[in-house]
Amino acid sequence: QGITSFLSDSLKSGPSYLSFPVGTSMDRFHAADIGEGPLPVLGQEIPEDAESMKLRKRGAKIEWDTGKVYTMALWSAYFDWLDWQILNLP
């Protein structure tokens, strides 16, 4: 829901893209006040409260704030995000 994409076949038609809503798409989402407490360590599990994750996945609005640091994780067994390759599909 809310996913849009475009697969370009030439430089003339523009770049390929994939876009989706951050709130409902991220597997983990963590917000911390700038300068308050330790931030999640990249490459390790990103903590997220189970109840806030449930609300976020149901579409609860994220109140973005420039006074916060956001850490997010997205993973998929079907897409290599670094090399833009589809994986594990027949």
Side-chain angles (χ1 to χ4, degrees):
Q1 179 179 356
I3 296 174
T4 59
S5 64
F6 173 71
L7 185 58
S8 175
D9 60 356
S10 72
L11 292 175
K12 287 182 182 179
S13 62
S16 298
Y17 67 85
L18 175 67
S19 70
F20 40 83
V22 171
T24 56
S25 300
M26 292 294 123
D27 291 299
R28 292 291 183 272
F29 185 91
H30 182 268
D33 291 326
I34 292 175
E36 302 240 348
L39 296 175
V41 177
L42 298 181
Q44 296 182 10
E45 185 174 347
I46 297 171
E48 183 175 11
D49 175 70
E51 188 59 31
S52 67
M53 183 189 310
K54 189 186 308 182
L55 291 172
R56 179 176 59 77
K57 292 285 189 173
R58 287 183 182 158
K61 184 178 179 190
I62 296 173
E63 297 295 334
W64 298 100
D65 183 343
T66 57
K68 293 189 179 290
V69 175
Y70 297 95
T71 307
M72 298 165 245
L74 176 66
W75 55 82
S76 171
Y78 305 105
F79 199 81
D80 179 335
W81 297 104
L82 297 177
D83 292 328
W84 281 83
Q85 292 183 0
I86 296 173
L87 308 169
N88 303 320
L89 293 176

